[in-house]
Amino acid sequence: MTPVEIAIVALAAGGVFFGVVAAVGVLRLPDLYTRSHAASKSDTLGAVLTLGAAALTFGADVPTAKTVLLLLFMFLTNPTAAHAITRAAYDQEIEPWTTDEEGDA
């Protein structure tokens, strides 16, 4: 196995790991705000690592340039979308989850 192949496997494995972390975060966290956080951070990192593996697989060619452009697009849109969703939830007065029970003070 060449060093490039090892890097491709490592990047793809990292991408899968962070994709699973994002899915678990969306399923396990208690409210929209924390779920959005888990989905935006982990999903972006997972997608970036996976696209990095794809770029290394293509070598120095036009598909690599397209992959890098897609990577930049994901860097710009994923956090922006997560911010817009959470901002809309805040504007709709959706309360964040807390550990305080009602009546405790």
Side-chain angles (χ1 to χ4, degrees):
M1 192 175 243
T2 66
V4 172
E5 291 172 341
I6 292 171
I8 290 169
V9 169
L11 288 172
V16 168
F17 172 75
F18 283 106
V20 169
V21 167
V24 169
V26 167
L27 292 174
R28 297 287 300 168
L29 292 176
D31 69 346
L32 182 137
Y33 300 103
T34 55
R35 288 178 183 161
S36 174
H37 176 79
S40 65
K41 307 287 186 217
S42 300
D43 191 42
T44 301
L45 185 57
V48 165
L49 291 175
T50 305
L51 287 173
L56 281 178
T57 302
F58 290 137
D61 205 359
V62 172
T64 301
K66 290 180 180 178
T67 304
V68 170
L69 289 175
L70 184 60
L71 194 147
L72 292 174
F73 180 75
M74 300 256 329
F75 263 131
L76 292 175
T77 57
N78 275 359
T80 305
H83 177 76
I85 290 169
T86 54
R87 181 66 182 214
Y90 182 77
D91 289 344
Q92 294 293 317
E93 299 179 0
I94 295 174
E95 295 292 324
W97 177 81
T98 61
T99 57
D100 297 336
E101 291 185 23
E102 195 169 310
D104 290 348

